[in-house]
Amino acid sequence: MTRVVPTFSYFRGVFMQPLATRWLVLPLVYCASLPLLAADKPLNDTGITTCVDVFNNRLSCPVSDYPNQDAEAGRDDLAAQSKLKKIGGGHAGFDFSKIANDGSVLPAYARFGSGAKDWACTRDNVTGLLWEIKTNDGGLRDQDSTFSWYNPNKKTNGGNAGYQNQGNCTGGIACNTYAYAQAVNKHGLCGKKDWRLPSLDELDSLINYDFYSPAIDRDYFPDLPDLTLYTTSFWSSPSEAADYAWAVNFKGGSDSYEFKGSSQLIRLVRAGQ
């Protein structure tokens, strides 16, 4: 079922707006989402670089009689004016760096591969998170592998550990989220062994609303499977009900509540280096 309350990604857009605009939007927000406002983590902007009027979209900014639009504030606006300092690259206000299998920082032109100095992970220089990049080789981290949601920790699994082998994966492991994270940590991806399933907020931070199918920067996340398939959502860690957990669909950039026994994708994350 589709999430009905505004998410972290929604607030990214709101809080990149001028203060006057925020006050117009906030009274409409369902109060259950308000705790998200207290988050002290840096925010990515939305990626939106154009403006709209009543009849048209993707217009050059500013638009007469329609001031204070998303693209006119925040990191995206600074990038459009060539005033944003970045560590790496990326569309609009996003700032990503490619990281090698051995953990070293690579130039933007680096190619993906299995060698020590080949690209294997992407670091978000705004949020500080380091993200797994999937392979396309039929191995453990193949982009087409899917998994059921499973977490044996009773304190965080919402009262139901989930399902241990309901996915369709390669790599010789049980096709569930817990087993996959354990296997990746055993191999030490990008020199690290503390990879985990991301929170919903963390996954949402990658959504680029200027893009569609996929709604993510493919220069730094080129590893999405066929988006015409139903299974295009990535699992997150939160479980707020016994049988369901949150997932993010990067075709259009939306959150959904998925049955834990359903077969979904995984992109692991860890704190930045």
Side-chain angles (χ1 to χ4, degrees):
M1 54 186 175
T2 302
R3 196 177 194 187
V4 294
V5 296
T7 65
F8 175 82
S9 53
Y10 170 86
F11 285 108
R12 284 166 51 202
V14 172
F15 282 91
M16 293 299 174
Q17 298 292 337
L19 186 60
T21 306
R22 297 179 201 169
W23 293 124
L24 293 175
V25 177
L26 283 176
L28 303 177
V29 176
Y30 182 59
C31 62
S33 292
L34 291 180
L36 293 176
L37 305 183
D40 57 359
K41 295 180 180 179
L43 299 177
N44 272 319
D45 208 337
T46 61
I48 294 175
T49 57
T50 56
C51 288
V52 300
D53 62 19
V54 174
F55 302 105
N56 304 285
N57 56 22
R58 295 199 174 275
L59 300 174
S60 297
C61 302
V63 176
S64 179
D65 297 326
Y66 298 92
N68 301 325
Q69 296 194 36
D70 185 288
E72 298 177 282
R75 291 179 58 86
D76 295 334
D77 179 52
L78 291 175
Q81 299 181 57
S82 300
K83 295 181 179 179
L84 182 64
K85 293 183 178 180
K86 293 187 180 184
I87 297 173
H91 173 75
F94 287 89
D95 186 354
F96 298 117
S97 292
K98 294 181 177 181
I99 305 298
N101 282 290
D102 66 0
S104 59
V105 181
L106 298 170
Y109 58 78
R111 293 183 176 274
F112 188 83
S114 58
K117 295 297 182 181
D118 290 333
W119 175 32
C121 302
T122 291
R123 185 180 67 201
D124 187 329
N125 296 312
V126 178
T127 65
L129 297 172
L130 186 64
W131 292 94
E132 169 197 15
I133 301 300
K134 313 299 288 190
T135 67
N136 191 20
D137 58 5
L140 173 65
R141 297 191 297 109
D142 191 85
Q143 65 182 26
D144 293 314
S145 288
T146 59
F147 306 83
S148 51
W149 193 98
Y150 180 72
N151 176 8
N153 189 332
K154 294 181 180 180
K155 295 181 179 180
T156 56
N157 65 19
N160 181 355
Y163 298 81
Q164 293 195 45
N165 201 19
Q166 297 286 88
N168 182 15
C169 67
T170 53
I173 64 171
C175 298
N176 69 71
T177 56
Y178 181 78
Y180 180 73
Q182 284 190 315
V184 171
N185 282 326
K186 182 178 180 180
H187 285 81
L189 176 62
C190 291
K192 306 298 180 181
K193 294 188 176 183
D194 56 353
W195 294 91
R196 57 177 172 80
L197 207 60
S199 71
L200 181 62
D201 289 352
E202 289 169 337
L203 266 182
D204 278 341
S205 74
L206 294 178
I207 298 173
N208 187 322
Y209 291 98
D210 211 38
F211 297 158
Y212 180 77
S213 192
I216 194 171
D217 192 334
R218 271 215 144 149
D219 287 340
Y220 291 89
F221 298 91
D223 51 355
L224 276 75
D226 186 353
L227 292 177
T228 62
L229 299 176
Y230 172 77
T231 305
T232 56
S233 293
F234 286 78
W235 283 121
S236 72
S237 56
S239 174
E240 299 171 8
D243 293 327
Y244 293 87
W246 287 111
V248 176
N249 185 300
F250 281 94
K251 183 172 184 177
S254 61
D255 302 338
S256 59
Y257 220 20
E258 302 293 342
F259 177 59
K260 291 179 179 179
S262 65
S263 188
Q264 308 293 339
L265 304 165
I266 297 178
R267 187 186 302 283
L268 297 180
V269 71
R270 65 171 302 277
Q273 53 189 30

